[in-house]
Amino acid sequence: MTPLVFRATRAWAGQGSTVRNWRERRYRFFVEHCQVRPDETILDVGVGAGGALERFNCTNPIVAVDLDPIPSEWLSQPNVTVGRADATNLPFTDGEFPIVFSNSVIEHIPRKLQSVFAQEIRRVGVRYYVQTPNRWFPIEPHYQLPLFQFLPLRLRRFLNRHFTLGWREKGNWEEINLLSARALRRLFPDADIHRERVFGLTKSLMVVRGESRKGADSVGLTS
């Protein structure tokens, strides 16, 4: 693919109505399954620019943390308090937040630290929601190439050095550590795994510990 094609894909992913609808559906799933009440404070771990939670929520008090938060209108809302924090060493006490939210973050954590990330989410939150792309979905969502995640590391780095792929500019390498449902069950043994499907394939996985654990179900995004 040419850089022009990838730029168009990034624009579609960032601004397209289809992707926005997916994110909004995830948000509503989070509110329902974590039983979010309007007065409860939510900790958003790895907030980025706030496009997954803050863009849809101007009611709940939100503490939004990231190693490097991205300034945006969503993070400037009066209900949002922004701070810097390491997701593997959160500066909060046990059970400090009734709800913890994290969207597409754990796959950016080094594999050897993903268990620490999971422990921190479980430690500081009474209920929590963690979303991540499914390792077995055929298109890798960051580099946007079919089966890219299964290529040898040396080949992936070679392609990145020579081409702009998906969200990653040429030479701007980041190793993405995608997880399967089985891996998430090991990391979050007290939660349910829910599957977000597109055309019958599991695109993303959502880990939820609500007030009462219920059987996992699927969320279809084809309609």
Side-chain angles (χ1 to χ4, degrees):
M1 288 189 181
T2 66
L4 179 62
V5 172
F6 280 115
R7 282 197 295 271
T9 304
R10 287 198 298 271
W12 174 81
Q15 303 174 18
S17 60
T18 299
V19 175
R20 186 190 187 283
N21 289 338
W22 287 353
R23 290 174 178 169
E24 185 171 7
R25 195 170 299 184
R26 283 180 193 165
Y27 169 72
R28 298 193 183 285
F29 179 91
F30 155 68
V31 169
E32 176 184 352
H33 285 75
C34 281
Q35 301 91 35
V36 179
R37 294 182 283 274
D39 60 334
E40 292 184 304
T41 300
I42 303 170
L43 174 65
D44 187 350
V45 177
V47 61
L53 172 61
E54 288 75 8
R55 76 187 296 175
F56 302 113
N57 189 316
C58 59
T59 302
N60 287 83
I62 298 173
V63 176
V65 298
D66 201 301
L67 283 174
D68 190 18
I70 301 170
S72 71
E73 60 179 315
W74 302 315
L75 298 188
S76 299
Q77 296 173 161
N79 65 311
V80 179
T81 301
V82 181
R84 294 179 183 272
D86 182 346
T88 63
N89 186 24
L90 293 170
F92 307 114
T93 60
D94 295 0
E96 183 168 342
F97 294 90
I99 304 171
V100 177
F101 175 95
S102 184
N103 184 80
S104 292
V105 176
I106 190 171
E107 71 271 16
H108 297 275
I109 303 293
R111 193 170 298 282
K112 65 181 181 180
L113 293 177
Q114 285 179 332
S115 61
V116 181
F117 173 92
Q119 290 167 10
E120 285 293 271
I121 295 290
R122 297 171 58 208
R123 179 182 69 81
V124 303
V126 178
R127 288 137 37 218
Y128 62 75
Y129 166 99
V130 176
Q131 182 274 342
T132 188
N134 176 28
R135 172 175 170 77
W136 298 106
F137 191 69
I139 299 176
E140 203 287 332
H142 304 85
Y143 291 89
Q144 295 177 1
L145 283 180
L147 306 180
F148 182 82
Q149 65 270 38
F150 301 114
L151 297 177
L153 177 60
R154 181 176 298 180
L155 178 55
R156 284 181 277 155
R157 295 190 72 117
F158 173 85
L159 291 171
N160 173 255
R161 283 198 303 271
H162 293 85
F163 303 99
T164 291
L165 303 173
W167 295 98
R168 310 306 301 177
E169 298 289 342
K170 181 171 68 174
N172 184 13
W173 168 255
E174 180 187 4
E175 184 169 358
I176 305 296
N177 298 296
L178 298 176
L179 294 106
S180 65
R182 179 177 296 180
L184 286 170
R185 286 193 182 96
R186 289 197 297 268
L187 294 175
F188 299 96
D190 55 353
D192 293 319
I193 309 295
H194 301 258
R195 290 168 170 79
E196 178 185 80
R197 301 184 190 275
V198 177
F199 302 117
L201 300 175
T202 300
K203 178 180 179 292
S204 297
L205 298 162
M206 295 172 287
V207 183
V208 179
R209 182 172 73 187
E211 290 182 336
S212 61
R213 294 183 62 190
K214 299 178 181 179
D217 55 0
S218 299
V219 179
L221 296 179
T222 56
S223 59

